[in-house]
Amino acid sequence: MTGPSPARAKGLVLLVEDDPALLLMTCYNLEQRGYRVEKAEDGEAALLALETSRPDAVVLDWMLPGLSGLDVCRRIRANPALRDVPVLLLTARSAEQDAIRGLDTGADDYLMKPCSIDTLDARLRALLRRHQSSYDRLSFADITLDPETHRVERGGRMLSLGPTEYRLLDLLIRNPRKVFSREDLLRRIWGQNIHVEIRTIDVHIRRLRKAINGPGEVDLVRTVRAAGYALDDGPTMDGG
């Protein structure tokens, strides 16, 4: 009886596990089932990996040396660029209260160790299906944004956006014509616990406009006086 075919990659998984043998075995089995896997042996290594690549899911051991899995999960949820990445928490803890604590921390699912690779694969597939809409190409008017590759185009030409301008456009294009106040944008882009001056939003909106609007093109970022900003291709009545 042959094992599962690794023909098409299901996504990139960050696997965080401090037991070297279990890390290697789980990595091998996930790769056999079509995942790409990045490994980390502790919480600090996991956070470093997350600085350089955005995985499609994180499989996170609860009991890690130094930063615990719960600490790493909190950091992921506090990071605006990572907060929607699915997190599957693995633990040897069996108490129901521990499961509730893990989910309340921000984990999307909770799996008892030891678990079979088939069960882990099934849970991962369910999480990725649930979050798949986050990776569909997004479009508004003649702008397209690919969340998986971070490529942005307008009228067929590539656009160059800074990381903050990209996150602003990603939020606006997912909510076309919705007006966001400056406070909303600060909270969603920078997070609640980071102090940023309110006028910083205006600076980044100007940069976003400069990046996406070419000569003769309609300015799709609408300023709504005393309210905020929206992505809108209708008639401009509020100026800005």
Side-chain angles (χ1 to χ4, degrees):
M1 183 174 178
T2 59
S5 170
R8 189 172 69 85
K10 297 175 181 176
L12 174 63
V13 173
L14 174 61
L15 176 61
V16 190
E17 169 59 63
D18 66 318
D19 182 324
L22 186 56
L23 179 67
L24 287 175
M25 182 179 67
T26 307
C27 176
Y28 171 80
N29 285 324
L30 287 175
E31 288 176 340
Q32 288 300 298
R33 282 157 176 77
Y35 297 93
R36 292 178 294 124
V37 182
E38 186 168 358
K39 303 187 293 293
E41 294 189 358
D42 56 43
E44 294 289 353
L47 294 176
L48 285 174
L50 289 166
E51 288 180 3
T52 57
S53 64
R54 184 186 190 280
D56 298 298
V58 177
V59 176
L60 181 60
D61 186 22
W62 182 319
M63 301 298 291
L64 294 171
L67 283 175
S68 72
L70 291 188
D71 293 328
V72 174
C73 189
R74 289 190 189 97
R75 300 278 189 94
I76 291 172
R77 292 296 173 246
N79 187 330
L82 299 170
R83 62 174 51 143
D84 61 340
V85 173
V87 175
L88 175 61
L89 200 61
L90 296 178
T91 180
R93 296 168 178 262
S94 59
E96 181 183 8
Q97 203 59 38
D98 288 327
I100 293 170
R101 184 180 169 202
L103 296 172
D104 283 346
T105 301
D108 296 272
D109 202 354
Y110 179 97
L111 197 54
M112 287 291 302
K113 294 167 62 176
C115 62
S116 72
I117 189 63
D118 290 333
T119 301
L120 178 58
D121 182 24
R123 294 289 187 91
L124 274 174
R125 283 187 281 111
L127 281 180
L128 291 173
R129 279 197 305 271
R130 198 181 310 161
H131 289 77
Q132 189 58 48
S133 61
S134 297
Y135 301 103
D136 292 340
R137 284 173 65 90
L138 306 168
S139 63
F140 182 82
D142 56 350
I143 293 180
T144 60
L145 181 150
D146 188 333
E148 190 167 10
T149 63
H150 282 210
R151 290 168 62 95
V152 182
E153 300 179 12
R154 181 167 187 180
R157 78 178 192 283
M158 288 292 301
L159 303 180
S160 178
L161 276 68
T164 301
E165 289 71 47
Y166 175 87
R167 292 199 297 271
L168 277 169
L169 180 61
D170 182 81
L171 174 63
L172 294 173
I173 206 169
R174 291 178 189 274
N175 301 274
R177 301 183 180 86
K178 177 178 178 178
V179 178
F180 288 93
S181 70
R182 290 176 176 84
E183 291 79 8
D184 286 338
L185 294 174
L186 283 175
R187 187 180 70 255
R188 289 170 179 254
I189 302 301
W190 279 272
Q192 295 192 9
N193 299 319
I194 299 177
H195 177 69
V196 178
E197 291 292 333
I198 195 77
R199 304 305 293 186
T200 300
I201 285 292
D202 300 329
V203 173
H204 287 286
I205 288 291
R206 283 198 297 271
R207 291 177 182 171
L208 177 60
R209 281 191 167 115
K210 184 177 180 181
I212 68 174
N213 296 325
E217 290 180 328
V218 174
D219 183 1
L220 296 175
V221 181
R222 180 164 64 98
T223 300
V224 183
R225 285 201 185 99
Y229 298 101
L231 197 66
D232 196 341
D233 56 355
T236 301
M237 301 180 64
D238 298 279

